[in-house]
């Protein structure tokens, strides 16, 4: 069964939330946090091609996890 959830607007909301919670972070630091979270979940990101293979759900889950982890 496929998911009918549209993750794009949810991801955009999470980017805004990330910025509001951590306004001092640069975009590079935000991206690093997301990629680190992906690596922790077993998604190995070594090149931009790896990023292109991500689905929207994976990216949404990664930023959500990054926000939670950065809050700890």
């Amino acid at each position: 069964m496929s998911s009918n959830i549209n993750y794009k607007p949810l991801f955009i909301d999470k980017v805004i939330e990330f910025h509001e919670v951590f306004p001092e972070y640069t975009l590079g630091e935000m991206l690093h946090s997301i990629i680190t979270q992906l690596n922790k979940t077993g998604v190995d990101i070594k090149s931009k091609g790896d990023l292109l293979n991500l689905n929207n759900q994976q990216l949404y889950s990664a930023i959500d996890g990054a926000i939670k982890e950065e809050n700890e």
Side-chain angles (χ1 to χ4, degrees):
M1 179 164 80
S2 66
S3 173
N4 291 328
I5 298 173
N6 183 357
Y7 285 96
K8 276 187 180 181
L10 298 174
F11 179 79
I12 291 168
D13 288 344
K14 285 293 178 181
V15 169
I16 293 167
E17 179 184 345
F18 197 113
H19 175 68
E20 289 173 347
V21 175
F22 307 106
E24 70 281 3
Y25 278 38
T26 65
L27 292 174
E29 290 169 324
M30 182 188 304
L31 185 57
H32 179 267
S33 183
I34 293 168
I35 290 172
T36 299
Q37 189 63 34
L38 283 164
N39 287 330
K40 288 181 180 183
T41 62
V43 179
D44 198 21
I45 303 296
K46 292 185 178 179
S47 71
K48 65 182 176 182
D50 294 333
L51 290 171
L52 293 173
N53 291 325
L54 293 172
N55 64 46
N56 292 344
Q57 182 179 4
Q58 288 173 302
L59 199 51
Y60 172 80
S61 295
I63 193 168
D64 186 52
I67 292 169
K68 290 174 183 172
E69 186 160 313
E70 294 294 332
N71 267 321
E72 293 178 355

